[in-house]
Amino acid sequence: MKALFKNTTKYKKTVYQEFLEFHNKHYQFSATLYTITIIALFLFCVIVQVKSYHFTLAIAFCILLTSFFLWRFFHPIFEVSREWKSPKIQNEKEFTFLFFEKHFKIRDKLQVESIKYRKLYKIFETPTFFYLYLDKTHAFLLDKSSFSIGSPEDFSEFIHNKYWYKFKKVK
């Protein structure tokens, strides 16, 4: 089976930083809305419990509210810090992506993994990268200047035709 497209992208700090900026810009609103909604619900529960003179439950809801707020603030920081310190970023690991008609393969020096296109959550095209999201927080980063088989324009058309409802071009 012949590969339609081949891309080899080196995951280095500048690439990851650009991805983080993109990700924050596109998902910040939904994360903020989610946080505000949960905090409002907890505050409502606290107020109801205080008005009903159930102070023990009010204190429990305050503890849950504080825990949620701290988790919501610190969890993303720890996740990014952990990823930033990973060998993938620190050692500038290189990944080769081979795209076929029904699936694509990712390989590095140690392993090869095959993924069907339907498993992709979202696909974004920026002026310099393609971001193939597996879920809301994990994505494969493809540098547009690193195609050795096919061109970024042809790949964009290919992936758009295949999954137009998951694809979005971003300026």
Side-chain angles (χ1 to χ4, degrees):
M1 190 179 326
K2 185 179 175 190
L4 302 172
F5 300 95
K6 181 179 179 182
N7 179 292
T8 304
T9 299
K10 186 179 274 194
Y11 282 41
K12 50 189 174 184
K13 291 179 182 179
T14 55
V15 168
Y16 190 62
Q17 183 67 38
E18 187 175 331
F19 170 70
L20 286 177
E21 289 170 9
F22 169 83
H23 183 79
N24 284 337
K25 188 167 120 180
H26 286 281
Y27 287 101
Q28 187 64 37
F29 177 74
S30 62
T32 303
L33 185 62
Y34 161 77
T35 302
I36 290 170
T37 303
I38 298 297
I39 288 173
L41 287 171
F42 274 125
L43 287 174
F44 175 76
C45 290
V46 168
I47 291 167
V48 167
Q49 297 310 317
V50 167
K51 285 189 173 204
S52 301
Y53 300 104
H54 296 117
F55 298 110
T56 307
L57 279 175
I59 291 169
F61 279 119
C62 284
I63 291 169
L64 286 172
L65 173 64
T66 304
S67 299
F68 173 76
F69 184 76
L70 292 173
W71 176 81
R72 196 66 191 106
F73 181 74
F74 288 111
H75 179 71
I77 293 169
F78 290 136
E79 285 291 312
V80 169
S81 175
R82 186 170 42 115
E83 189 71 21
W84 189 261
K85 293 175 185 172
S86 73
K88 174 174 64 177
I89 304 299
Q90 293 300 316
N91 299 335
E92 297 187 354
K93 198 169 184 181
E94 190 172 84
F95 292 93
T96 300
F97 300 88
L98 297 167
F99 295 91
F100 302 95
E101 189 61 40
K102 296 186 189 265
H103 69 284
F104 64 100
K105 291 184 179 183
I106 305 130
R107 73 174 180 226
D108 62 4
K109 292 179 180 169
L110 302 175
Q111 59 190 5
V112 175
E113 186 174 344
S114 181
I115 298 174
K116 296 199 181 282
Y117 294 112
R118 64 179 158 75
K119 290 192 175 188
L120 293 174
Y121 172 71
K122 288 259 189 208
I123 304 157
F124 290 100
E125 179 183 358
T126 70
T128 55
F129 278 89
F130 289 101
Y131 298 124
L132 309 178
Y133 275 82
L134 293 173
D135 56 34
K136 285 186 177 183
T137 56
H138 299 93
F140 296 117
L141 320 176
L142 279 76
D143 188 347
K144 281 185 161 182
S145 65
S146 299
F147 278 90
S148 57
I149 297 176
S151 69
E153 295 80 17
D154 292 339
F155 179 74
S156 177
E157 185 178 328
F158 168 78
I159 204 77
H160 180 265
N161 289 340
K162 196 166 264 317
Y163 288 100
W164 57 269
Y165 55 93
K166 294 182 179 184
F167 183 87
K168 185 173 182 183
K169 195 176 250 192
V170 181
K171 297 288 178 203

